[in-house]
Amino acid sequence: MMLFISVLMLLTLRAVGEVVKDFKDHDCKEFFLDEEPPEFQTNGIASQVPEEGRYVRICQRYKNKYHYATLYDTTEKIPVYSAYRYERTIECKVKRPNIPWKIEPQLEDNNNGKDMASEKNVWKNDRQAYDSNYVGTDYNKGHLFPVCQSSSDDSAISTFTLTNAAPQGCSFNKKWFHKVENDVRKSLQKCVNERRIPYVVTGVVPSDGTKMANRVNVPVYFWTAYRCCGSNQCQFGGYIMNEKADVTRDFTDMTSFDERLSEYYKRPFTVFKSAGLTGKKRKFDERV
């Protein structure tokens, strides 16, 4: 099905985002290398999420299929990261679709349904960013799981939720696309062609107080890391870019990457806990 057909179907088919207690006890654990989510550490005690209530796990689902997982910060109103598998086998040539952005009703009230919805249809409780926050600002909605790294029409549509986006200045948005997202796609294409499975985690580091619309944190760093394993070999790549910089910091060593993120987050942070050699093989399908 062509992408523009899927866009039209969005008017009648609803996306679903499911708030869960623990990624490791849910089907969307498949989006993490060896089913191990990134790890924070607080007061010497390892934990997937250091402050319960502030950070919310979302299994992002559309048309009864999970497409990626997001850890969302309800205090700063931006995601910490989105985790997904890279399964695209052809070059991304689709024009960015004009799809209405959704919010997560369960972040406002746990009793709300799982269906993503327009903010005008949800009673707001100040726990997430809203589309109206971007109106009249100089910021774009920066995808963490980007459209051109999705592998199907449905997957592309599922990325248009504000729980998968953070404010990016217009010029930074373009730099991130050309300097990072394009490099990641090129690096992972060989991995996919060799029938190996790349796992990607993309996140942001909140600023010390810069706010959009006086409520949504404008991140100071965007980052992404991938791990591609198969046949007893693994490949790692990491990128960090300051929102005011023109260049990226590239990493080929996971330890150095984790140390840098830990410095920025001011707490220990491990993106890939596993060595990645025990991951299950999965059939690639639903190509765009």
Side-chain angles (χ1 to χ4, degrees), residues 78-98:
I78 52 175
V80 178
Y81 63 73
S82 285
Y84 50 97
R85 286 189 303 258
Y86 185 92
E87 298 176 286
R88 175 176 289 279
T89 58
I90 61 175
E91 184 179 354
C92 178
K93 296 182 179 180
V94 297
K95 183 178 180 181
R96 181 172 172 140
N98 184 22

Side-chain angles (χ1 to χ4, degrees), residues 189-253:
Q189 194 60 59
K190 180 180 178 181
C191 180
V192 172
N193 291 341
E194 293 175 349
R195 310 299 291 177
R196 292 186 287 153
I197 302 176
Y199 290 82
V200 186
V201 184
T202 300
V204 300
V205 178
S207 64
D208 288 334
T210 303
K211 300 282 187 177
M212 178 186 71
N214 294 319
R215 62 185 306 273
V216 182
N217 191 289
V218 178
V220 65
Y221 294 103
F222 271 68
W223 58 267
T224 189
Y226 63 81
R227 184 85 164 148
C228 180
C229 298
S231 301
N232 296 320
Q233 61 177 327
C234 285
Q235 172 188 355
F236 170 82
Y239 302 79
I240 300 176
M241 191 171 185
N242 186 294
E243 59 96 14
K244 295 185 180 299
D246 292 326
V247 297
T248 62
R249 180 180 290 274
D250 302 349
F251 296 80
T252 57
D253 178 72

Side-chain angles (χ1 to χ4, degrees), residues 21 25 74 91 107 135 171 183 191 218 227 244 279 285:
K21 184 176 181 180
D25 294 332
T74 61
E91 184 179 354
L107 291 186
V135 176
S171 61
D183 276 0
C191 180
V218 178
R227 184 85 164 148
K244 295 185 180 299
D285 54 13

Side-chain angles (χ1 to χ4, degrees), residues 18-59 68-73 79-83 201 223 265 267-273:
E18 183 175 351
V19 174
V20 300
K21 184 176 181 180
D22 193 330
F23 284 135
K24 296 172 71 172
D25 294 332
H26 197 276
D27 288 344
C28 71
K29 63 187 177 184
E30 66 178 324
F31 299 113
F32 302 100
L33 181 66
D34 286 342
E35 301 180 350
E36 290 284 353
E39 185 177 88
F40 290 91
Q41 189 171 344
T42 302
N43 297 325
I45 301 175
S47 173
Q48 183 181 328
V49 179
E51 292 95 11
E52 296 293 342
R54 171 177 176 175
Y55 296 96
V56 178
R57 307 168 186 87
I58 304 172
C59 291
Y68 59 105
T70 299
L71 181 65
Y72 193 78
D73 184 343
V80 178
Y81 63 73
S82 285
V201 184
W223 58 267
Y265 282 106
R267 66 181 65 182
F269 193 108
T270 302
V271 179
F272 297 112
K273 293 172 57 180

Side-chain angles (χ1 to χ4, degrees), residues 101 233 237 259:
W101 285 80
Q233 61 177 327
E259 288 175 349

Side-chain angles (χ1 to χ4, degrees), residues 168-179:
Q168 282 184 333
C170 182
S171 61
F172 180 74
N173 184 283
K174 294 177 181 177
K175 293 172 186 176
W176 179 257
F177 175 79
H178 290 291
K179 295 178 180 291

